[in-house]
């Protein structure tokens, strides 16, 4: 796994960041925002506010699908609370996002804990197939959901769509596969109803915080290290010790606070991140109206002048994170 010199830069946003009553105002806000950040960041994440205290806001993956054709370059990683949504639906929605964005899509697999999980469980009701709110059940369910989502992306081989007029076949049925997954809380037969995405497997990202059990993070392509993960090098070593993936990217979160933090202090923080083994930073904007211009107009130029960040690249989102081309577990060996 190789990475260009310098840290890559992402922007972290909440799909509930703008909750104006007018749908026109919401559209104008998000359209202007994506235009502003498109050439300044390698990727953006959209947190889904399901069952949050401040209100749900927009569905993050639906919003990502709306934003993708209004952007040219930025990778878009849509969030979903994977313990409380059907993994089949998440898989098809993110596959669609990958088609719409032409290979710039990712999934932020959100894991709830404590009171947030209890509230989410209350919102959906006591339905079969959803986990309890204890940590072990949520973690097992999260691992299973990620496994199912990836299997469903693999359930269509490349070249499944043939459009053969002579045989009157649209698909080559031999290249469609049942995934036959049965986990602790649910089972999925498959195959997907959406063709294999352009990237094969869109990027799967998770957030990791101090004290988290590393098994879910170990299953992800990209790990966002929360601001409370002060020992970044230690967190990376812990997750890598549990991982079986060929490659992972580690991105350190920087909270852009409401109070204006001294610029030199943030630059020094990024210098420490660069020395820790992380591959990039994600600037978390809780209030993009107030914080975006400071992040793009002041912080990023200062980091660029210090040679701490790299230029925005093109290509698929997997390639930007230094991830290998995705194989297909169901395709015959070459």
């Amino acid at each position: 796994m190789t990475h260009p010199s310098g840290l890559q830069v992402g922007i972290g946003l909440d799909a509930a960041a703008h909750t104006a009553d007018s749908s026109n105002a919401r559209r104008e806000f998000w359209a202007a925002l994506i235009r502003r950040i498109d050439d300044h960041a390698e990727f953006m994440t959209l947190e889904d506010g399901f069952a949050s205290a401040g209100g749900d806001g927009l569905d993050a993956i639906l919003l990502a699908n709306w934003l993708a054709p209004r952007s040219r370059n930025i990778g878009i990683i849509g969030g979903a609370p994977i313990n409380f949504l059907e993994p089949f639906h998440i898989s098809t929605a993110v596959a669609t996002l990958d088609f719409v964005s032409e290979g710039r899509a990712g999934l932020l697999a959100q894991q709830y804990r404590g009171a947030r999980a209890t509230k989410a469980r209350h919102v959906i009701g006591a339905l079969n197939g959803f986990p309890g709110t204890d940590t072990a059940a949520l973690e097992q369910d999260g691992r299973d959901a990620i496994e199912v989502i990836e299997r469903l992306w693999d359930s269509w081989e490349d070249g499944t769509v043939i459009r053969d007029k002579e045989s009157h076949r649209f698909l080559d049925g031999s290249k469609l596969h049942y995934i036959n997954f049965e986990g602790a809380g649910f089972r999925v037969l498959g195959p997907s109803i959406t063709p294999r995405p352009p990237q094969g497997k869109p990027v799967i990202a998770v957030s990791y915080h101090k004290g988290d059990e590393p098994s879910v993070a170990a299953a992800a392509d990209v790990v966002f290290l929360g601001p409370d993960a002060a020992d970044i090098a230690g967190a990376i070593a812990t997750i890598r010790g549990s991982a079986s993936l060929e490659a992972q990217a580690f991105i350190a979160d920087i909270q852009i606070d409401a109070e204006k933090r001294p610029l030199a202090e943030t630059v020094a923080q990024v210098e420490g991140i660069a020395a820790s083994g992380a591959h990039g930073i994600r600037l978390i904007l809780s209030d993009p109206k107030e914080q975006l211009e400071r992040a793009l107009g002041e912080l990023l130029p200062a980091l660029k002048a210090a040679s701490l960040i790299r230029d925005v690249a093109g290509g698929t989102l997997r390639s930007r994170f230094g991830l290998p081309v995705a194989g297909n577990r169901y395709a015959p060996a070459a």
Side-chain angles (χ1 to χ4, degrees), residues 42-286:
E42 200 81 76
F43 65 88
M44 65 183 292
T45 59
L46 284 168
E47 192 94 7
D48 192 283
F50 177 71
S52 65
D56 287 356
L58 299 172
D59 181 290
I61 295 180
L62 290 181
L63 176 57
N65 274 282
W66 187 86
L67 290 170
R70 290 165 175 81
S71 64
R72 300 183 312 277
N73 185 65
I74 195 168
I76 303 179
I77 304 175
I82 58 172
N83 297 124
F84 302 102
L85 293 177
E86 297 285 356
F88 192 99
H89 297 160
I90 297 173
S91 174
T92 57
V94 176
T96 300
L97 177 60
D98 207 39
F99 280 105
V100 174
S101 66
E102 299 181 310
R104 293 181 281 124
L107 165 66
L108 177 60
Q110 296 174 221
Q111 285 257 276
Y112 292 169
R113 300 284 190 275
R116 185 81 178 271
T118 301
K119 183 177 180 182
R121 193 71 174 82
H122 176 75
V123 169
I124 62 174
L127 301 175
N128 292 331
F130 291 95
T133 56
D134 60 288
T135 300
L138 291 168
E139 288 170 349
Q140 181 62 56
D141 185 81
R143 292 190 295 268
D144 287 348
I146 290 173
E147 175 77 10
V148 166
I149 289 165
E150 290 191 321
R151 287 194 191 193
L152 287 167
W153 289 335
D154 280 345
S155 67
W156 291 55
E157 291 183 41
D158 292 333
T160 300
V161 179
I162 56 175
R163 296 185 175 91
D164 187 341
K165 293 183 180 180
E166 290 187 7
S167 64
H168 303 288
R169 291 186 304 156
F170 182 71
L171 303 175
D172 179 350
S174 69
K175 294 186 176 183
L176 282 175
H177 301 278
Y178 293 111
I179 70 168
N180 291 319
F181 179 87
E182 185 161 1
F186 61 89
R187 59 185 178 180
V188 177
L189 180 62
S192 178
I193 58 173
T194 305
R196 185 166 170 80
Q199 294 182 96
K201 295 178 186 176
V203 170
I204 290 184
V206 301
S207 293
Y208 178 84
H209 299 278
K210 184 178 180 180
D212 283 355
E213 204 281 327
S215 63
V216 178
D221 301 304
V222 175
V223 181
F224 296 116
L225 302 170
D228 58 352
D231 180 11
I232 294 173
I236 291 173
T238 297
I239 296 166
R240 278 183 169 155
S242 302
S244 60
L245 300 175
E246 296 177 50
Q248 284 182 298
F250 295 91
I251 309 296
D253 285 342
I254 297 177
Q255 189 75 46
I256 305 298
D257 299 319
E259 301 82 16
K260 191 167 182 179
R261 186 183 183 190
L263 190 59
E265 188 178 321
T266 305
V267 172
Q269 180 186 4
V270 176
E271 288 175 342
I273 290 170
S276 71
H279 304 112
I281 56 174
R282 179 173 63 152
L283 307 180
I284 306 296
L285 307 182
S286 58

